[in-house]
Amino acid sequence: MFGSFNSDAEFGRREPGMKMQSLLELLERDGILPEEAFVELLSGRSKEDEAYAAKRAREIGDCIYGKQIYIRGLIEFTNYCKNNCYYCGIQRENSHIQRYRLGKEEILLCCEEGYKLGFRTFVLQGGEDPYYTDEKMIDIIKAIRNNFPDCAITLSIGEKSYDSYQRFYEAGADRYLLRHETADVAHYQRLHPKEMSLEHRMDCLRQLKEIGFQTGCGFMVGSPFQTNKELAKDLLFIHSLHPEMVGIGPFIPHKETRFAKEKQGTLEQTLFLLSLIRIMEKNVLLPATTALATIDPRGREKGILAGANVVMPNLSPKAVREKYALYDGKVCTGEEAAECRFCLENRVRSVGYEVVVDRGDYKG
Ligand code: 5AD
Ligand code: FES
C-alpha cells in the first residue's frame, strides 16, 4: 500500500539528499531505524528532506484516514498539581498562578456545549490533583458516559496505580494520554525532581496499554538538554510501545519556571518529527498541538501538512483558560469554544482537509 516515492514535478530540482531519502524509505519499509540512523536523519535534514518526509507522511496518513481530521474537545478541569516538573507552568511551586477546579456539573456543561459543536471526544486533562479521588473521577467518567454514549472519553491526569487505571477504564474511559516526556533516564532526571522516574512513567504506559486503553505517549521538542540522541531514543521508545496516539509539541519556556530563559523548540524540527512519527507508526493518531500553534500562527495547518490528523481545541470555560498556562503565550485563551471550533474548521479546510463529527478512534 505504501509504494516507494516517485519524484514528481512538484519537487523538480529540489531533490532530497540520496542518503536521507534512502533512510526515510527504510523507515517507511521497516517502521524503525537504528538509533544512529535516526540521529543522522535528525542532524542532517535539509529543506528538501523536510518536504520529502512531509509528503510521504501525508500520503501515508491520507491512505488510512483520508482527508479527515479528528477534533477533540479539551477540558482542562484543574490546574492544581502535586508535581513539580521543571518545565511546566502549573508546577506546585508556582505561587504566581490562581488555581482552579471544575466540578462535575461544570464539566458536563462543557461537554454539552462541545457536543452541540460536533465534538465526539472529550479529553479531561488536569494536573495531578489529589482532590479528584478515584471515586470523584469515576463519578465524572460515568456521568459523561451516560449522558454522551456516542462519545469517546480520554483522560490525561498523570500517573496512577494499575487499579485506578482499571477502574477508570471500567467506568467508561476509552483513551489515556501520558507523555513520557523523554525516553532517556538522565535527561528525564534533568527535567523532573528526583521523586519522579522514567521507569514508573513507562510502567504506567505499559499498564494502560495492557488494560485496553487507546494510549498516547509523547514528548516536547527542543526541551532543555535535549539533543538528537535523546530524540532518537524517543522514536525508538515509541516504536517499542506502539501507542495509538503520540502527542508532540515544541517546548516553550514559562516565565515562572527555572527554564524561563531557555530557548523554545523550533517549528521545523517539530514538523520533521511529526513526519517521522507518521512514517514510522503509520496508523497513529497524531495531533497538531496548541504549542505548535503558539510558536507559529499557522502551526496547526503546517502540522497537518507534515502528517498530523488530530486537533484538540479548548472547551474549558473562558474564565479559567488563562490559568491553565503550561507555557507562556498560549493561543486561544481569549476565545469561546465555538470560535475555536469554527476557526479550526477554516484552518483545516485551507490546507485541503476536513474536520469530521466522529469519535475518531484508532484505525489499527
Ligand atoms: N512547553 C511545552 N509543552 C509543555 N508541557 C508542559 N510544559 C510545557 C512547556 N513549557 C507539555 C508536557 C505535558 C503536556 C500536558 O504539556 O509534555 O505532558
Ligand atoms: Fe482558537 Fe483559532 S483555534 S481562535
Side-chain angles (χ1 to χ4, degrees):
M1 178 160 45
F2 310 109
S4 68
F5 172 75
N6 295 311
S7 68
D8 64 57
E10 186 187 339
F11 285 92
R13 279 170 286 111
R14 292 159 49 90
E15 284 295 327
M18 285 313 290
K19 179 80 194 288
M20 300 293 267
Q21 182 172 336
S22 56
L23 286 179
L24 287 166
E25 275 167 6
L26 273 180
L27 178 63
E28 183 173 340
R29 193 194 67 188
D30 300 343
I32 191 65
L33 287 175
E35 186 177 315
E36 315 78 65
F38 274 133
V39 171
E40 205 175 331
L41 260 182
L42 291 164
S43 326
R45 71 183 156 85
S46 64
K47 286 271 160 246
E48 289 69 36
D49 302 325
E50 287 169 9
Y52 173 74
K55 184 168 193 291
R56 280 312 298 145
R58 250 185 357 258
E59 285 167 355
I60 292 167
D62 290 358
C63 232
I64 299 159
Y65 292 101
K67 289 285 180 186
Q68 302 196 331
I69 300 294
Y70 296 141
I71 49 171
R72 322 293 195 198
L74 185 62
I75 304 170
E76 298 155 337
F77 69 98
T78 170
N79 70 348
Y80 281 84
C81 193
K82 69 178 167 62
N83 292 336
N84 216 23
C85 306
Y86 298 152
Y87 46 83
C88 185
I90 66 168
Q91 59 181 241
R92 74 164 179 264
E93 266 177 24
N94 185 0
S95 54
H96 295 89
I97 55 167
Q98 232 184 322
R99 304 279 173 173
Y100 73 90
R101 291 183 174 113
L102 300 183
K104 180 169 101 177
E105 295 309 321
E106 285 172 292
I107 294 173
L108 287 170
L109 279 174
C110 292
C111 297
E112 208 168 291
E113 187 181 1
Y115 192 88
K116 288 190 202 133
L117 291 169
F119 291 96
R120 295 296 178 269
T121 290
F122 302 116
V123 183
L124 295 181
Q125 185 175 90
E128 289 196 18
D129 180 359
Y131 169 85
Y132 294 89
T133 56
D134 287 0
E135 286 62 40
K136 284 205 182 75
M137 281 316 301
I138 288 166
D139 186 41
I140 294 168
I141 295 165
K142 284 188 172 161
I144 301 178
R145 179 49 59 244
N146 286 333
N147 287 312
F148 306 95
D150 56 336
C151 293
I153 302 171
T154 304
L155 301 178
S156 177
I157 54 175
E159 297 179 17
K160 307 273 174 187
S161 68
Y162 189 97
D163 180 59
S164 302
Y165 287 150
Q166 180 80 53
R167 292 171 65 202
F168 297 157
Y169 188 75
E170 282 161 11
D174 306 279
R175 311 191 187 120
Y176 206 105
L177 303 172
L178 181 70
R179 291 191 179 177
H180 63 283
E181 312 296 358
T182 171
D184 179 84
V185 175
H187 188 214
Y188 192 92
Q189 284 166 347
R190 297 180 84 173
L191 298 180
H192 301 94
K194 59 179 177 315
E195 64 269 17
M196 291 179 73
S197 84
L198 178 59
E199 198 189 352
H200 190 252
R201 196 89 170 172
M202 288 180 166
D203 283 346
C204 287
L205 282 164
R206 290 187 197 104
Q207 290 169 7
L208 289 163
K209 285 270 292 184
E210 189 182 308
I211 289 167
F213 282 102
Q214 292 177 44
T215 302
C217 65
F219 57 91
M220 292 175 289
V221 179
S223 61
F225 317 112
Q226 184 185 64
T227 68
N228 290 331
K229 192 173 160 60
E230 280 77 36
L231 287 169
K233 286 191 170 180
D234 287 322
L235 296 172
L236 288 168
F237 172 68
I238 291 171
H239 175 77
S240 70
L241 182 69
H242 192 46
E244 286 77 19
M245 309 174 281
V246 174
I248 70 163
F251 161 74
I252 304 172
H254 185 287
K255 59 183 181 312
E256 305 297 344
T257 65
R258 67 173 65 191
F259 294 148
K261 297 271 181 306
E262 298 288 330
K263 281 206 300 284
Q264 69 180 27
T266 68
L267 174 75
E268 292 73 20
Q269 199 178 25
T270 308
L271 295 177
F272 191 55
L273 279 155
L274 282 172
S275 300
L276 294 186
I277 293 166
R278 169 65 66 210
I279 292 171
M280 187 172 103
E281 291 291 311
K282 300 177 175 52
N283 305 57
V284 78
L285 296 163
L286 191 61
T289 54
T290 306
L292 190 56
T294 298
I295 64 161
D296 186 287
R298 285 178 58 85
R300 275 177 295 226
E301 295 88 310
K302 291 174 183 175
I304 290 168
L305 293 176
N309 71 327
V310 174
V311 284
M312 300 171 62
N314 211 312
L315 272 187
S316 316
K318 209 168 139 177
V320 303
R321 284 193 188 192
E322 268 182 18
K323 299 178 187 145
Y324 199 84
L326 308 181
Y327 45 81
D328 291 336
K330 187 174 169 200
V331 291
C332 298
T333 52
E335 278 73 20
E336 297 285 356
E339 291 178 83
C340 286
R341 168 67 178 79
F342 294 111
C343 171
L344 274 177
E345 181 159 334
N346 290 328
R347 287 173 183 274
V348 165
R349 200 174 287 149
S350 77
V351 287
Y353 285 76
E354 207 181 346
V355 161
V356 289
V357 178
D358 195 297
R359 273 173 55 113
D361 285 301
Y362 180 77
K363 291 189 181 168

